[in-house]
Coordinates of all heavy atoms in Angstrom, one line a residue:
R1 N 5.4 -16.0 10.3 CA 5.6 -15.0 9.2 C 6.9 -14.4 8.9 O 7.0 -13.5 8.1 CB 4.7 -13.8 9.4 CG 4.9 -13.2 10.8 CD 3.7 -12.2 11.2 NE 3.9 -11.5 12.5 CZ 3.5 -12.0 13.6 NH1 2.8 -13.2 13.6 NH2 3.7 -11.3 14.7
H2 N 8.0 -15.0 9.3 CA 9.3 -14.5 8.9 C 9.9 -15.3 7.8 O 9.7 -16.5 7.8 CB 10.4 -14.6 10.1 CG 10.1 -13.4 11.1 ND1 9.4 -13.6 12.4 CD2 10.6 -12.1 11.0 CE1 9.5 -12.4 13.0 NE2 10.2 -11.6 12.3
H3 N 10.5 -14.6 6.8 CA 11.2 -15.2 5.7 C 12.6 -14.5 5.4 O 12.9 -13.5 5.8 CB 10.3 -15.0 4.5 CG 8.9 -15.6 4.6 ND1 8.7 -16.9 4.7 CD2 7.8 -15.0 4.8 CE1 7.4 -17.2 4.9 NE2 6.8 -16.0 4.9
T4 N 13.5 -15.3 4.8 CA 14.7 -14.7 4.2 C 14.4 -14.0 3.0 O 14.8 -12.9 2.7 CB 15.8 -15.7 4.1 OG1 15.3 -16.8 3.4 CG2 16.4 -16.1 5.4
F5 N 13.7 -14.7 2.1 CA 13.2 -14.1 0.8 C 11.7 -13.9 0.9 O 10.9 -14.8 1.3 CB 13.6 -15.0 -0.3 CG 13.0 -14.5 -1.8 CD1 13.7 -13.7 -2.6 CD2 11.8 -15.0 -2.1 CE1 13.2 -13.3 -3.7 CE2 11.2 -14.5 -3.3 CZ 12.0 -13.7 -4.1
F6 N 11.2 -12.8 0.3 CA 9.8 -12.6 0.3 C 9.5 -11.4 -0.8 O 10.4 -10.9 -1.3 CB 9.2 -12.2 1.6 CG 9.8 -10.8 2.1 CD1 8.9 -9.7 1.8 CD2 10.9 -10.8 2.7 CE1 9.5 -8.4 2.3 CE2 11.4 -9.4 3.2 CZ 10.6 -8.3 2.9
E7 N 8.3 -11.4 -1.2 CA 7.8 -10.3 -2.2 C 7.1 -9.2 -1.4 O 6.2 -9.5 -0.6 CB 7.0 -11.0 -3.3 CG 7.7 -11.8 -4.3 CD 6.7 -12.2 -5.4 OE1 6.3 -11.3 -6.2 OE2 6.4 -13.4 -5.5
M8 N 7.5 -8.0 -1.7 CA 6.8 -6.8 -1.1 C 6.0 -6.1 -2.2 O 6.5 -5.6 -3.1 CB 7.8 -6.0 -0.5 CG 7.1 -4.8 0.2 SD 8.3 -3.8 1.1 CE 8.7 -4.8 2.5
L9 N 4.7 -6.1 -2.1 CA 3.9 -5.3 -2.9 C 3.9 -3.9 -2.5 O 4.1 -3.6 -1.3 CB 2.3 -5.8 -2.8 CG 2.2 -7.3 -3.1 CD1 0.7 -7.7 -2.7 CD2 2.3 -7.7 -4.5
G10 N 3.9 -2.9 -3.5 CA 4.0 -1.5 -3.0 C 3.4 -0.6 -4.0 O 3.3 -0.9 -5.3
N11 N 3.0 0.6 -3.6 CA 2.6 1.7 -4.4 C 3.4 3.0 -3.9 O 3.7 3.1 -2.8 CB 1.1 1.9 -4.4 CG 0.5 2.2 -3.1 OD1 0.5 1.4 -2.2 ND2 0.1 3.5 -2.9
F12 N 3.7 3.8 -4.9 CA 4.7 4.9 -4.6 C 4.1 6.2 -5.3 O 3.6 6.1 -6.4 CB 6.0 4.5 -5.2 CG 6.6 3.2 -4.7 CD1 6.3 2.1 -5.5 CD2 7.3 3.2 -3.5 CE1 6.8 0.8 -5.0 CE2 7.7 1.9 -3.2 CZ 7.5 0.8 -3.8
S13 N 4.2 7.3 -4.5 CA 3.9 8.6 -5.2 C 5.2 9.5 -5.1 O 5.8 9.6 -3.9 CB 2.8 9.2 -4.4 OG 2.8 10.7 -4.6
F14 N 5.7 10.0 -6.1 CA 6.8 10.9 -6.2 C 6.4 12.4 -6.3 O 6.3 12.9 -7.4 CB 7.7 10.6 -7.3 CG 8.0 9.0 -7.3 CD1 7.6 8.3 -8.5 CD2 8.7 8.3 -6.3 CE1 7.8 6.9 -8.5 CE2 8.9 7.0 -6.4 CZ 8.5 6.2 -7.4
G15 N 6.0 12.9 -5.0 CA 5.6 14.2 -5.1 C 4.2 14.5 -5.6 O 3.8 15.6 -6.0
D16 N 3.5 13.4 -5.9 CA 2.0 13.5 -6.4 C 1.0 13.5 -5.3 O 0.7 14.6 -4.8 CB 1.8 12.4 -7.4 CG 0.5 12.5 -8.1 OD1 0.1 13.6 -8.3 OD2 -0.1 11.4 -8.4
Y17 N 0.5 12.4 -4.9 CA -0.4 12.4 -3.7 C 0.4 12.2 -2.5 O 1.5 11.7 -2.5 CB -1.5 11.3 -3.9 CG -1.1 9.9 -4.1 CD1 -0.8 9.2 -3.0 CD2 -0.9 9.3 -5.4 CE1 -0.4 7.8 -3.1 CE2 -0.5 8.0 -5.5 CZ -0.2 7.3 -4.4 OH 0.2 5.9 -4.5
F18 N -0.3 12.4 -1.3 CA 0.4 12.2 -0.1 C -0.5 11.4 0.9 O -1.2 10.4 0.5 CB 0.8 13.6 0.6 CG 1.8 13.4 1.6 CD1 2.9 12.6 1.5 CD2 1.8 14.2 2.7 CE1 3.9 12.6 2.5 CE2 2.7 14.2 3.8 CZ 3.7 13.3 3.6
K19 N -0.6 11.7 2.2 CA -1.2 10.9 3.2 C -2.7 10.5 2.8 O -3.2 9.4 2.9 CB -1.2 11.6 4.5 CG 0.2 11.7 5.1 CD 0.1 12.3 6.5 CE 1.7 12.7 7.0 NZ 1.7 13.3 8.2
E20 N -3.5 11.5 2.5 CA -4.9 11.3 2.3 C -5.2 10.3 1.2 O -6.0 9.2 1.4 CB -5.6 12.6 2.0 CG -7.2 12.3 1.9 CD -8.0 13.7 2.0 OE1 -7.4 14.7 1.9 OE2 -9.2 13.6 2.1
H21 N -4.6 10.5 0.1 CA -4.9 9.5 -1.0 C -4.2 8.1 -0.8 O -4.8 7.1 -1.2 CB -4.5 10.2 -2.4 CG -5.1 9.5 -3.6 ND1 -6.5 9.1 -3.6 CD2 -4.5 9.0 -4.7 CE1 -6.7 8.6 -4.7 NE2 -5.5 8.5 -5.5
A22 N -3.1 8.2 -0.1 CA -2.4 6.9 0.2 C -3.4 5.9 1.1 O -3.5 4.8 0.9 CB -1.2 7.1 0.9
I23 N -3.9 6.7 2.1 CA -4.8 5.9 3.1 C -6.1 5.5 2.3 O -6.6 4.3 2.4 CB -5.2 6.8 4.2 CG1 -3.9 7.0 5.1 CG2 -6.4 6.1 5.0 CD1 -4.1 7.9 6.2
E24 N -6.6 6.3 1.4 CA -7.9 6.0 0.7 C -7.7 4.9 -0.2 O -8.5 3.9 -0.3 CB -8.2 7.2 -0.1 CG -9.6 7.1 -0.9 CD -9.9 8.4 -1.6 OE1 -9.0 9.0 -2.2 OE2 -11.1 8.7 -1.7
L25 N -6.5 4.8 -1.0 CA -6.1 3.7 -1.9 C -6.1 2.5 -1.2 O -6.6 1.5 -1.6 CB -5.0 4.0 -2.7 CG -5.0 5.0 -3.8 CD1 -3.7 5.6 -4.2 CD2 -5.8 4.6 -5.1
A26 N -5.3 2.4 -0.1 CA -5.1 1.2 0.7 C -6.5 0.7 1.2 O -6.7 -0.5 1.2 CB -4.1 1.5 1.8
W27 N -7.3 1.5 1.8 CA -8.5 1.2 2.6 C -9.5 0.6 1.5 O -10.1 -0.4 1.8 CB -9.1 2.4 3.2 CG -10.2 2.0 4.1 CD1 -11.6 2.2 3.9 CD2 -10.2 1.2 5.3 NE1 -12.4 1.7 4.8 CE2 -11.5 1.1 5.8 CE3 -9.2 0.7 6.1 CZ2 -11.9 0.5 7.0 CZ3 -9.5 0.0 7.2 CH2 -10.8 -0.1 7.7
N28 N -9.6 1.3 0.3 CA -10.5 0.8 -0.7 C -10.0 -0.6 -1.2 O -10.9 -1.4 -1.5 CB -10.5 1.8 -1.8 CG -11.4 3.0 -1.4 OD1 -12.1 3.0 -0.4 ND2 -11.3 4.0 -2.1
L29 N -8.8 -0.8 -1.4 CA -8.3 -2.0 -1.9 C -8.7 -3.3 -0.9 O -9.2 -4.3 -1.3 CB -6.8 -2.1 -2.3 CG -6.1 -3.5 -2.7 CD1 -6.9 -3.9 -4.0 CD2 -4.7 -3.3 -2.8
L30 N -8.3 -3.0 0.3 CA -8.6 -4.0 1.4 C -10.0 -4.3 1.6 O -10.3 -5.5 1.7 CB -7.9 -3.6 2.7 CG -6.4 -3.4 2.7 CD1 -5.9 -2.9 4.0 CD2 -5.7 -4.8 2.5
T31 N -10.8 -3.3 1.7 CA -12.2 -3.5 2.1 C -13.1 -3.7 0.9 O -14.2 -4.4 1.1 CB -12.6 -2.4 3.0 OG1 -12.6 -1.2 2.4 CG2 -11.8 -2.3 4.2
K32 N -13.0 -3.0 -0.2 CA -13.9 -3.0 -1.3 C -13.5 -4.0 -2.3 O -14.3 -4.8 -2.8 CB -14.1 -1.6 -1.9 CG -14.7 -0.6 -1.0 CD -14.9 0.8 -1.6 CE -15.6 1.7 -0.6 NZ -15.6 3.0 -1.2
E33 N -12.2 -4.0 -2.8 CA -11.7 -5.0 -3.8 C -11.5 -6.3 -3.3 O -12.0 -7.2 -3.9 CB -10.4 -4.4 -4.4 CG -10.5 -2.9 -5.1 CD -11.2 -3.0 -6.4 OE1 -11.1 -4.0 -7.1 OE2 -11.9 -2.0 -6.8

C-alpha cells in the first residue's frame, strides 16, 4: 500500500461541524452507502 503518488479523498469543516458529525458522516458513508 505505499506509493509516491496517490489520491487522498477528504472532507473538511472550517469551524462548522466537529468530532461528532465528522464521525457520523464517515461511518454512514462506509457502512450505509
